[in-house]
Amino acid sequence: MDEVAFHVSQRLESLQVLLYTAVQNSHRWAEQYAVKSSELLLTAWNSQEIQLVHQIVNEKINLTIEFGKHVSRTTIKYTNPTFLYVKLTDLVGPEWDQRVITAGCVGLLLGTGIGLGVGLCLQSPQKPVAVMKAVTLTGFNGIDAVAYMEDVVMPTVCSPDDVLIQVKSGSVDPIDIKICTGYARVLRKQLNKYNPNVRGELPLVLGRDVAGIVREVGSSVTRLEVGDEVWCAVPAWLPGVLSEVAVVDQYYVAHKPRTLTFDGAASLPYCGAVAWDAVANKAKLSAQNAASKRVLVHCASTGVGCLIVQICHNMGVHVSVTCLNRAAPVMEALGADSIFPLESTDIEKQLVKDNRYDIVFNTAGSVAHQFCLRLCKFDGFVITTISSQLASDTFGLCLGFLYTTWVRLAHSIFGYSSWGSCHISYKVLDTLTSLVDSGRLQPVVDKVLQPHEIERAFQHIDSANAIGKTVLRFSGSSASTPTTKPDVIL
């Protein structure tokens, strides 16, 4: 053991000697390198090339200083009133004395002033800016930022495809609540740059659908004429239409169903387009394949849910619904085959006992997605009608820059216009019109309020007591073609 310790100590001593030698050599090499580097730098600094550069730089600095002094002397000389007077006298001749020159200057000033005054009087006066009443959003911090304003700048027809509508009635939709918290804000902000009627991000007019009368059309509008009764629906990334006057691209405007008043018609376009897209496009249901299908509409008392129930019922589908007890009579009137009250504690067991479903329409959003999945057959699926958060609303700086660049290219160069998952157009509205006029589709209007009651309207649709849609009636909305049947069933 002592021998091992002896050998270890010898190895440690040898390692210490090596380390000490390495440190000494490194220090000596560093000193030599520093000395040589300083010598090289000093030699380079004293070289002829560097001296020539110093000389050139000094010459340029001196020239700049002399030029500045010359400019200063010249400025002082030519701004001297005495020098200017002498030069002016030499120019106009000896017969022009001080009094003549003074009178000429005074006359020139007076003539200029009179000319400006006449020009200002003759210019055409600016047209006064027309204002209107509208339901607006003043911030993106929720429904507390919703306001009814009376001085919103009135839009005008700026594009050949524009249609100016005098709004009679409009509806409030749950998507407006999401817009209040920033939904589609990034995309809307980019597209507003191409809209002459938008003068900033806020205030933002809310509302996705209205009914009214055409008052003016662009040069390219051929389907509509002044005086036509119309309805329209606009996507969430466009400015809203809950105002006395709305300007909308003709692509989103269609003739109103002749059997509905403005109040009933205003409740249908947006939620009708969402419902039709869910049934016909996503679920791919039709009269040919509907007879063998069993569907469930979860929370069917929403505006979209009421229409899905009717569309599926008219196709021959077996329709089950979940809703509050107070909405059960409405669901029965709309054609629901089975009604399950949401107040039941064992509602899931009741639904499973009723057999699972080919398709479940979820109108409550992501919070009920797992619940709806458990009610599907093995090959069934869930269709959610609530718009999910757009990815663009959460982009950071880099992704946001790339996204806005893509939006500009897609819109301005390629004319891209479809930015959402739900297709809204006049063709869809024409389909809904045929369903309404044939008696196969009815609007469900829960409340009809005045625009200044917008706070009450939002509180109602955000509660569990809402059934169908809440409508805001602008002036004269009841003056419409008489209906052959009631336009609401509440």
Side-chain angles (χ1 to χ4, degrees), residues 276-312:
W276 182 258
D277 179 69
V279 174
N281 298 330
K282 295 178 180 177
K284 300 188 183 303
L285 292 176
S286 64
Q288 289 71 32
N289 64 5
S292 60
K293 301 293 184 181
R294 300 180 72 258
V295 304
L296 171 69
V297 184
H298 182 51
C299 296
S301 59
T302 63
V304 174
C306 291
L307 299 181
I308 291 178
V309 171
Q310 296 181 72
I311 294 173
C312 291

PDB file of all heavy atoms in Angstrom, residues 276-312:
ATOM      1  N   TRP A 276     -76.992  25.592 -43.456  1.00  0.00           N
ATOM      2  CA  TRP A 276     -76.996  24.905 -44.748  1.00  0.00           C
ATOM      3  C   TRP A 276     -75.628  24.302 -45.054  1.00  0.00           C
ATOM      4  O   TRP A 276     -75.526  23.185 -45.584  1.00  0.00           O
ATOM      5  CB  TRP A 276     -77.410  25.866 -45.853  1.00  0.00           C
ATOM      6  CG  TRP A 276     -77.486  25.213 -47.200  1.00  0.00           C
ATOM      7  CD1 TRP A 276     -76.571  25.287 -48.211  1.00  0.00           C
ATOM      8  CD2 TRP A 276     -78.527  24.349 -47.666  1.00  0.00           C
ATOM      9  NE1 TRP A 276     -76.971  24.540 -49.282  1.00  0.00           N
ATOM     10  CE2 TRP A 276     -78.177  23.950 -48.978  1.00  0.00           C
ATOM     11  CE3 TRP A 276     -79.709  23.878 -47.114  1.00  0.00           C
ATOM     12  CZ2 TRP A 276     -78.974  23.101 -49.737  1.00  0.00           C
ATOM     13  CZ3 TRP A 276     -80.508  23.031 -47.866  1.00  0.00           C
ATOM     14  CH2 TRP A 276     -80.132  22.653 -49.162  1.00  0.00           C
ATOM     15  N   ASP A 277     -74.569  25.025 -44.712  1.00  0.00           N
ATOM     16  CA  ASP A 277     -73.219  24.512 -44.939  1.00  0.00           C
ATOM     17  C   ASP A 277     -72.982  23.253 -44.099  1.00  0.00           C
ATOM     18  O   ASP A 277     -72.382  22.284 -44.581  1.00  0.00           O
ATOM     19  CB  ASP A 277     -72.196  25.590 -44.580  1.00  0.00           C
ATOM     20  CG  ASP A 277     -70.766  25.129 -44.772  1.00  0.00           C
ATOM     21  OD1 ASP A 277     -70.356  24.940 -45.934  1.00  0.00           O
ATOM     22  OD2 ASP A 277     -70.058  24.941 -43.771  1.00  0.00           O
ATOM     23  N   ALA A 278     -73.463  23.258 -42.853  1.00  0.00           N
ATOM     24  CA  ALA A 278     -73.267  22.102 -41.979  1.00  0.00           C
ATOM     25  C   ALA A 278     -74.018  20.881 -42.488  1.00  0.00           C
ATOM     26  O   ALA A 278     -73.491  19.762 -42.475  1.00  0.00           O
ATOM     27  CB  ALA A 278     -73.722  22.445 -40.562  1.00  0.00           C
ATOM     28  N   VAL A 279     -75.257  21.065 -42.958  1.00  0.00           N
ATOM     29  CA  VAL A 279     -76.085  19.932 -43.372  1.00  0.00           C
ATOM     30  C   VAL A 279     -75.719  19.453 -44.776  1.00  0.00           C
ATOM     31  O   VAL A 279     -75.490  18.250 -45.005  1.00  0.00           O
ATOM     32  CB  VAL A 279     -77.581  20.310 -43.315  1.00  0.00           C
ATOM     33  CG1 VAL A 279     -78.439  19.177 -43.879  1.00  0.00           C
ATOM     34  CG2 VAL A 279     -77.985  20.619 -41.877  1.00  0.00           C
ATOM     35  N   ALA A 280     -75.670  20.381 -45.723  1.00  0.00           N
ATOM     36  CA  ALA A 280     -75.507  19.989 -47.127  1.00  0.00           C
ATOM     37  C   ALA A 280     -74.058  19.738 -47.514  1.00  0.00           C
ATOM     38  O   ALA A 280     -73.773  18.821 -48.301  1.00  0.00           O
ATOM     39  CB  ALA A 280     -76.106  21.069 -48.034  1.00  0.00           C
ATOM     40  N   ASN A 281     -73.124  20.518 -46.979  1.00  0.00           N
ATOM     41  CA  ASN A 281     -71.725  20.410 -47.405  1.00  0.00           C
ATOM     42  C   ASN A 281     -70.891  19.521 -46.481  1.00  0.00           C
ATOM     43  O   ASN A 281     -70.163  18.643 -46.948  1.00  0.00           O
ATOM     44  CB  ASN A 281     -71.098  21.801 -47.494  1.00  0.00           C
ATOM     45  CG  ASN A 281     -71.790  22.683 -48.516  1.00  0.00           C
ATOM     46  OD1 ASN A 281     -72.330  22.196 -49.510  1.00  0.00           O
ATOM     47  ND2 ASN A 281     -71.810  23.989 -48.274  1.00  0.00           N
ATOM     48  N   LYS A 282     -70.983  19.748 -45.173  1.00  0.00           N
ATOM     49  CA  LYS A 282     -70.154  18.983 -44.246  1.00  0.00           C
ATOM     50  C   LYS A 282     -70.752  17.609 -43.951  1.00  0.00           C
ATOM     51  O   LYS A 282     -70.046  16.596 -43.967  1.00  0.00           O
ATOM     52  CB  LYS A 282     -69.948  19.778 -42.963  1.00  0.00           C
ATOM     53  CG  LYS A 282     -69.141  21.058 -43.179  1.00  0.00           C
ATOM     54  CD  LYS A 282     -68.990  21.850 -41.899  1.00  0.00           C
ATOM     55  CE  LYS A 282     -68.181  23.122 -42.140  1.00  0.00           C
ATOM     56  NZ  LYS A 282     -68.081  23.958 -40.922  1.00  0.00           N
ATOM     57  N   ALA A 283     -72.066  17.549 -43.669  1.00  0.00           N
ATOM     58  CA  ALA A 283     -72.713  16.259 -43.417  1.00  0.00           C
ATOM     59  C   ALA A 283     -73.093  15.540 -44.702  1.00  0.00           C
ATOM     60  O   ALA A 283     -73.341  14.333 -44.687  1.00  0.00           O
ATOM     61  CB  ALA A 283     -73.956  16.470 -42.560  1.00  0.00           C
ATOM     62  N   LYS A 284     -73.160  16.303 -45.816  1.00  0.00           N
ATOM     63  CA  LYS A 284     -73.513  15.751 -47.135  1.00  0.00           C
ATOM     64  C   LYS A 284     -74.856  15.008 -47.102  1.00  0.00           C
ATOM     65  O   LYS A 284     -75.014  13.932 -47.679  1.00  0.00           O
ATOM     66  CB  LYS A 284     -72.403  14.821 -47.651  1.00  0.00           C
ATOM     67  CG  LYS A 284     -71.059  15.513 -47.810  1.00  0.00           C
ATOM     68  CD  LYS A 284     -70.053  14.637 -48.498  1.00  0.00           C
ATOM     69  CE  LYS A 284     -68.697  15.335 -48.583  1.00  0.00           C
ATOM     70  NZ  LYS A 284     -68.747  16.633 -49.270  1.00  0.00           N
ATOM     71  N   LEU A 285     -75.817  15.608 -46.413  1.00  0.00           N
ATOM     72  CA  LEU A 285     -77.163  15.048 -46.381  1.00  0.00           C
ATOM     73  C   LEU A 285     -77.985  15.588 -47.535  1.00  0.00           C
ATOM     74  O   LEU A 285     -77.839  16.747 -47.932  1.00  0.00           O
ATOM     75  CB  LEU A 285     -77.850  15.398 -45.053  1.00  0.00           C
ATOM     76  CG  LEU A 285     -77.291  14.741 -43.792  1.00  0.00           C
ATOM     77  CD1 LEU A 285     -78.013  15.263 -42.556  1.00  0.00           C
ATOM     78  CD2 LEU A 285     -77.404  13.225 -43.874  1.00  0.00           C
ATOM     79  N   SER A 286     -78.849  14.758 -48.059  1.00  0.00           N
ATOM     80  CA  SER A 286     -79.755  15.152 -49.140  1.00  0.00           C
ATOM     81  C   SER A 286     -81.001  14.298 -49.051  1.00  0.00           C
ATOM     82  O   SER A 286     -81.081  13.353 -48.263  1.00  0.00           O
ATOM     83  CB  SER A 286     -79.071  14.979 -50.512  1.00  0.00           C
ATOM     84  OG  SER A 286     -78.789  13.609 -50.748  1.00  0.00           O
ATOM     85  N   ALA A 287     -81.985  14.633 -49.867  1.00  0.00           N
ATOM     86  CA  ALA A 287     -83.233  13.866 -49.867  1.00  0.00           C
ATOM     87  C   ALA A 287     -83.002  12.417 -50.281  1.00  0.00           C
ATOM     88  O   ALA A 287     -83.788  11.533 -49.924  1.00  0.00           O
ATOM     89  CB  ALA A 287     -84.242  14.531 -50.791  1.00  0.00           C
ATOM     90  N   GLN A 288     -81.922  12.142 -51.003  1.00  0.00           N
ATOM     91  CA  GLN A 288     -81.649  10.786 -51.490  1.00  0.00           C
ATOM     92  C   GLN A 288     -81.078   9.877 -50.400  1.00  0.00           C
ATOM     93  O   GLN A 288     -81.327   8.672 -50.392  1.00  0.00           O
ATOM     94  CB  GLN A 288     -80.695  10.821 -52.692  1.00  0.00           C
ATOM     95  CG  GLN A 288     -81.307  11.367 -53.975  1.00  0.00           C
ATOM     96  CD  GLN A 288     -81.548  12.858 -53.921  1.00  0.00           C
ATOM     97  OE1 GLN A 288     -80.797  13.587 -53.269  1.00  0.00           O
ATOM     98  NE2 GLN A 288     -82.599  13.318 -54.597  1.00  0.00           N
ATOM     99  N   ASN A 289     -80.288  10.416 -49.480  1.00  0.00           N
ATOM    100  CA  ASN A 289     -79.641   9.558 -48.484  1.00  0.00           C
ATOM    101  C   ASN A 289     -80.103   9.824 -47.059  1.00  0.00           C
ATOM    102  O   ASN A 289     -79.591   9.240 -46.104  1.00  0.00           O
ATOM    103  CB  ASN A 289     -78.120   9.728 -48.558  1.00  0.00           C
ATOM    104  CG  ASN A 289     -77.679  11.138 -48.184  1.00  0.00           C
ATOM    105  OD1 ASN A 289     -78.483  11.966 -47.782  1.00  0.00           O
ATOM    106  ND2 ASN A 289     -76.397  11.412 -48.332  1.00  0.00           N
ATOM    107  N   ALA A 290     -81.078  10.701 -46.881  1.00  0.00           N
ATOM    108  CA  ALA A 290     -81.444  11.143 -45.535  1.00  0.00           C
ATOM    109  C   ALA A 290     -82.340  10.157 -44.801  1.00  0.00           C
ATOM    110  O   ALA A 290     -82.342  10.127 -43.568  1.00  0.00           O
ATOM    111  CB  ALA A 290     -82.124  12.503 -45.608  1.00  0.00           C
ATOM    112  N   ALA A 291     -83.110   9.357 -45.508  1.00  0.00           N
ATOM    113  CA  ALA A 291     -84.123   8.515 -44.858  1.00  0.00           C
ATOM    114  C   ALA A 291     -83.514   7.529 -43.863  1.00  0.00           C
ATOM    115  O   ALA A 291     -84.137   7.186 -42.854  1.00  0.00           O
ATOM    116  CB  ALA A 291     -84.921   7.772 -45.918  1.00  0.00           C
ATOM    117  N   SER A 292     -82.303   7.078 -44.122  1.00  0.00           N
ATOM    118  CA  SER A 292     -81.686   6.069 -43.254  1.00  0.00           C
ATOM    119  C   SER A 292     -80.810   6.678 -42.166  1.00  0.00           C
ATOM    120  O   SER A 292     -80.171   5.943 -41.408  1.00  0.00           O
ATOM    121  CB  SER A 292     -80.818   5.126 -44.097  1.00  0.00           C
ATOM    122  OG  SER A 292     -79.790   5.855 -44.755  1.00  0.00           O
ATOM    123  N   LYS A 293     -80.789   7.990 -42.048  1.00  0.00           N
ATOM    124  CA  LYS A 293     -79.888   8.654 -41.103  1.00  0.00           C
ATOM    125  C   LYS A 293     -80.617   9.048 -39.822  1.00  0.00           C
ATOM    126  O   LYS A 293     -81.806   9.365 -39.828  1.00  0.00           O
ATOM    127  CB  LYS A 293     -79.293   9.916 -41.746  1.00  0.00           C
ATOM    128  CG  LYS A 293     -78.500   9.672 -43.011  1.00  0.00           C
ATOM    129  CD  LYS A 293     -77.235   8.888 -42.752  1.00  0.00           C
ATOM    130  CE  LYS A 293     -76.420   8.747 -44.036  1.00  0.00           C
ATOM    131  NZ  LYS A 293     -75.186   7.964 -43.824  1.00  0.00           N
ATOM    132  N   ARG A 294     -79.875   9.000 -38.738  1.00  0.00           N
ATOM    133  CA  ARG A 294     -80.346   9.493 -37.452  1.00  0.00           C
ATOM    134  C   ARG A 294     -79.349  10.545 -36.959  1.00  0.00           C
ATOM    135  O   ARG A 294     -78.158  10.260 -36.849  1.00  0.00           O
ATOM    136  CB  ARG A 294     -80.467   8.365 -36.422  1.00  0.00           C
ATOM    137  CG  ARG A 294     -81.442   7.272 -36.836  1.00  0.00           C
ATOM    138  CD  ARG A 294     -81.538   6.174 -35.774  1.00  0.00           C
ATOM    139  NE  ARG A 294     -82.256   6.629 -34.587  1.00  0.00           N
ATOM    140  CZ  ARG A 294     -81.698   6.997 -33.445  1.00  0.00           C
ATOM    141  NH1 ARG A 294     -80.364   6.962 -33.325  1.00  0.00           N
ATOM    142  NH2 ARG A 294     -82.420   7.387 -32.408  1.00  0.00           N
ATOM    143  N   VAL A 295     -79.860  11.740 -36.723  1.00  0.00           N
ATOM    144  CA  VAL A 295     -78.974  12.828 -36.306  1.00  0.00           C
ATOM    145  C   VAL A 295     -79.440  13.380 -34.969  1.00  0.00           C
ATOM    146  O   VAL A 295     -80.624  13.270 -34.593  1.00  0.00           O
ATOM    147  CB  VAL A 295     -78.922  13.964 -37.360  1.00  0.00           C
ATOM    148  CG1 VAL A 295     -78.504  13.424 -38.708  1.00  0.00           C
ATOM    149  CG2 VAL A 295     -80.253  14.705 -37.438  1.00  0.00           C
ATOM    150  N   LEU A 296     -78.483  13.976 -34.256  1.00  0.00           N
ATOM    151  CA  LEU A 296     -78.771  14.665 -33.003  1.00  0.00           C
ATOM    152  C   LEU A 296     -78.296  16.102 -33.141  1.00  0.00           C
ATOM    153  O   LEU A 296     -77.179  16.357 -33.594  1.00  0.00           O
ATOM    154  CB  LEU A 296     -78.052  13.996 -31.834  1.00  0.00           C
ATOM    155  CG  LEU A 296     -78.103  14.760 -30.500  1.00  0.00           C
ATOM    156  CD1 LEU A 296     -79.525  14.752 -29.930  1.00  0.00           C
ATOM    157  CD2 LEU A 296     -77.115  14.168 -29.493  1.00  0.00           C
ATOM    158  N   VAL A 297     -79.138  17.047 -32.761  1.00  0.00           N
ATOM    159  CA  VAL A 297     -78.759  18.461 -32.722  1.00  0.00           C
ATOM    160  C   VAL A 297     -78.626  18.847 -31.254  1.00  0.00           C
ATOM    161  O   VAL A 297     -79.624  18.936 -30.526  1.00  0.00           O
ATOM    162  CB  VAL A 297     -79.803  19.345 -33.429  1.00  0.00           C
ATOM    163  CG1 VAL A 297     -79.318  20.799 -33.441  1.00  0.00           C
ATOM    164  CG2 VAL A 297     -80.052  18.857 -34.848  1.00  0.00           C
ATOM    165  N   HIS A 298     -77.390  19.022 -30.815  1.00  0.00           N
ATOM    166  CA  HIS A 298     -77.126  19.355 -29.416  1.00  0.00           C
ATOM    167  C   HIS A 298     -77.291  20.856 -29.206  1.00  0.00           C
ATOM    168  O   HIS A 298     -76.755  21.662 -29.956  1.00  0.00           O
ATOM    169  CB  HIS A 298     -75.712  18.915 -29.033  1.00  0.00           C
ATOM    170  CG  HIS A 298     -75.373  19.186 -27.603  1.00  0.00           C
ATOM    171  ND1 HIS A 298     -76.171  18.790 -26.561  1.00  0.00           N
ATOM    172  CD2 HIS A 298     -74.307  19.830 -27.043  1.00  0.00           C
ATOM    173  CE1 HIS A 298     -75.624  19.161 -25.416  1.00  0.00           C
ATOM    174  NE2 HIS A 298     -74.500  19.797 -25.682  1.00  0.00           N
ATOM    175  N   CYS A 299     -78.038  21.240 -28.159  1.00  0.00           N
ATOM    176  CA  CYS A 299     -78.380  22.643 -27.894  1.00  0.00           C
ATOM    177  C   CYS A 299     -79.095  23.237 -29.110  1.00  0.00           C
ATOM    178  O   CYS A 299     -78.653  24.229 -29.697  1.00  0.00           O
ATOM    179  CB  CYS A 299     -77.157  23.460 -27.525  1.00  0.00           C
ATOM    180  SG  CYS A 299     -76.371  22.937 -25.989  1.00  0.00           S
ATOM    181  N   ALA A 300     -80.191  22.614 -29.470  1.00  0.00           N
ATOM    182  CA  ALA A 300     -80.881  22.954 -30.722  1.00  0.00           C
ATOM    183  C   ALA A 300     -81.629  24.258 -30.667  1.00  0.00           C
ATOM    184  O   ALA A 300     -82.156  24.712 -31.703  1.00  0.00           O
ATOM    185  CB  ALA A 300     -81.844  21.822 -31.086  1.00  0.00           C
ATOM    186  N   SER A 301     -81.716  24.922 -29.523  1.00  0.00           N
ATOM    187  CA  SER A 301     -82.474  26.165 -29.440  1.00  0.00           C
ATOM    188  C   SER A 301     -81.692  27.376 -29.919  1.00  0.00           C
ATOM    189  O   SER A 301     -82.223  28.487 -29.939  1.00  0.00           O
ATOM    190  CB  SER A 301     -82.933  26.398 -28.003  1.00  0.00           C
ATOM    191  OG  SER A 301     -81.825  26.466 -27.120  1.00  0.00           O
ATOM    192  N   THR A 302     -80.446  27.202 -30.325  1.00  0.00           N
ATOM    193  CA  THR A 302     -79.685  28.321 -30.891  1.00  0.00           C
ATOM    194  C   THR A 302     -80.234  28.673 -32.268  1.00  0.00           C
ATOM    195  O   THR A 302     -81.010  27.914 -32.866  1.00  0.00           O
ATOM    196  CB  THR A 302     -78.198  27.967 -31.011  1.00  0.00           C
ATOM    197  OG1 THR A 302     -78.066  26.859 -31.921  1.00  0.00           O
ATOM    198  CG2 THR A 302     -77.616  27.590 -29.663  1.00  0.00           C
ATOM    199  N   GLY A 303     -79.828  29.830 -32.788  1.00  0.00           N
ATOM    200  CA  GLY A 303     -80.309  30.234 -34.104  1.00  0.00           C
ATOM    201  C   GLY A 303     -79.952  29.238 -35.178  1.00  0.00           C
ATOM    202  O   GLY A 303     -80.794  28.886 -36.030  1.00  0.00           O
ATOM    203  N   VAL A 304     -78.737  28.731 -35.162  1.00  0.00           N
ATOM    204  CA  VAL A 304     -78.313  27.733 -36.143  1.00  0.00           C
ATOM    205  C   VAL A 304     -79.017  26.411 -35.897  1.00  0.00           C
ATOM    206  O   VAL A 304     -79.455  25.733 -36.825  1.00  0.00           O
ATOM    207  CB  VAL A 304     -76.780  27.557 -36.101  1.00  0.00           C
ATOM    208  CG1 VAL A 304     -76.341  26.420 -37.008  1.00  0.00           C
ATOM    209  CG2 VAL A 304     -76.087  28.847 -36.497  1.00  0.00           C
ATOM    210  N   GLY A 305     -79.146  26.018 -34.623  1.00  0.00           N
ATOM    211  CA  GLY A 305     -79.774  24.746 -34.292  1.00  0.00           C
ATOM    212  C   GLY A 305     -81.214  24.671 -34.758  1.00  0.00           C
ATOM    213  O   GLY A 305     -81.657  23.630 -35.282  1.00  0.00           O
ATOM    214  N   CYS A 306     -81.985  25.749 -34.589  1.00  0.00           N
ATOM    215  CA  CYS A 306     -83.389  25.760 -35.035  1.00  0.00           C
ATOM    216  C   CYS A 306     -83.498  25.504 -36.528  1.00  0.00           C
ATOM    217  O   CYS A 306     -84.438  24.845 -36.998  1.00  0.00           O
ATOM    218  CB  CYS A 306     -84.038  27.086 -34.673  1.00  0.00           C
ATOM    219  SG  CYS A 306     -84.300  27.348 -32.903  1.00  0.00           S
ATOM    220  N   LEU A 307     -82.562  26.031 -37.305  1.00  0.00           N
ATOM    221  CA  LEU A 307     -82.608  25.855 -38.755  1.00  0.00           C
ATOM    222  C   LEU A 307     -82.120  24.472 -39.168  1.00  0.00           C
ATOM    223  O   LEU A 307     -82.656  23.880 -40.109  1.00  0.00           O
ATOM    224  CB  LEU A 307     -81.775  26.943 -39.421  1.00  0.00           C
ATOM    225  CG  LEU A 307     -82.252  28.380 -39.159  1.00  0.00           C
ATOM    226  CD1 LEU A 307     -81.367  29.387 -39.879  1.00  0.00           C
ATOM    227  CD2 LEU A 307     -83.700  28.559 -39.590  1.00  0.00           C
ATOM    228  N   ILE A 308     -81.115  23.932 -38.480  1.00  0.00           N
ATOM    229  CA  ILE A 308     -80.648  22.579 -38.791  1.00  0.00           C
ATOM    230  C   ILE A 308     -81.776  21.573 -38.570  1.00  0.00           C
ATOM    231  O   ILE A 308     -81.976  20.645 -39.370  1.00  0.00           O
ATOM    232  CB  ILE A 308     -79.418  22.225 -37.942  1.00  0.00           C
ATOM    233  CG1 ILE A 308     -78.212  23.053 -38.383  1.00  0.00           C
ATOM    234  CG2 ILE A 308     -79.097  20.739 -38.048  1.00  0.00           C
ATOM    235  CD1 ILE A 308     -76.961  22.804 -37.569  1.00  0.00           C
ATOM    236  N   VAL A 309     -82.527  21.748 -37.478  1.00  0.00           N
ATOM    237  CA  VAL A 309     -83.650  20.844 -37.203  1.00  0.00           C
ATOM    238  C   VAL A 309     -84.638  20.858 -38.360  1.00  0.00           C
ATOM    239  O   VAL A 309     -85.087  19.798 -38.843  1.00  0.00           O
ATOM    240  CB  VAL A 309     -84.347  21.250 -35.886  1.00  0.00           C
ATOM    241  CG1 VAL A 309     -85.641  20.456 -35.704  1.00  0.00           C
ATOM    242  CG2 VAL A 309     -83.421  21.018 -34.692  1.00  0.00           C
ATOM    243  N   GLN A 310     -84.976  22.048 -38.855  1.00  0.00           N
ATOM    244  CA  GLN A 310     -85.955  22.154 -39.937  1.00  0.00           C
ATOM    245  C   GLN A 310     -85.420  21.569 -41.246  1.00  0.00           C
ATOM    246  O   GLN A 310     -86.123  20.839 -41.952  1.00  0.00           O
ATOM    247  CB  GLN A 310     -86.343  23.622 -40.148  1.00  0.00           C
ATOM    248  CG  GLN A 310     -87.047  24.246 -38.965  1.00  0.00           C
ATOM    249  CD  GLN A 310     -87.428  25.685 -39.239  1.00  0.00           C
ATOM    250  OE1 GLN A 310     -88.343  25.969 -40.010  1.00  0.00           O
ATOM    251  NE2 GLN A 310     -86.715  26.606 -38.604  1.00  0.00           N
ATOM    252  N   ILE A 311     -84.163  21.878 -41.574  1.00  0.00           N
ATOM    253  CA  ILE A 311     -83.594  21.388 -42.836  1.00  0.00           C
ATOM    254  C   ILE A 311     -83.527  19.862 -42.828  1.00  0.00           C
ATOM    255  O   ILE A 311     -83.905  19.196 -43.801  1.00  0.00           O
ATOM    256  CB  ILE A 311     -82.200  22.007 -43.059  1.00  0.00           C
ATOM    257  CG1 ILE A 311     -82.316  23.526 -43.261  1.00  0.00           C
ATOM    258  CG2 ILE A 311     -81.526  21.384 -44.278  1.00  0.00           C
ATOM    259  CD1 ILE A 311     -80.980  24.242 -43.311  1.00  0.00           C
ATOM    260  N   CYS A 312     -83.060  19.289 -41.733  1.00  0.00           N
ATOM    261  CA  CYS A 312     -82.968  17.823 -41.650  1.00  0.00           C
ATOM    262  C   CYS A 312     -84.358  17.190 -41.669  1.00  0.00           C
ATOM    263  O   CYS A 312     -84.569  16.144 -42.317  1.00  0.00           O
ATOM    264  CB  CYS A 312     -82.221  17.424 -40.386  1.00  0.00           C
ATOM    265  SG  CYS A 312     -80.464  17.833 -40.391  1.00  0.00           S
TER     266      CYS A 312
END
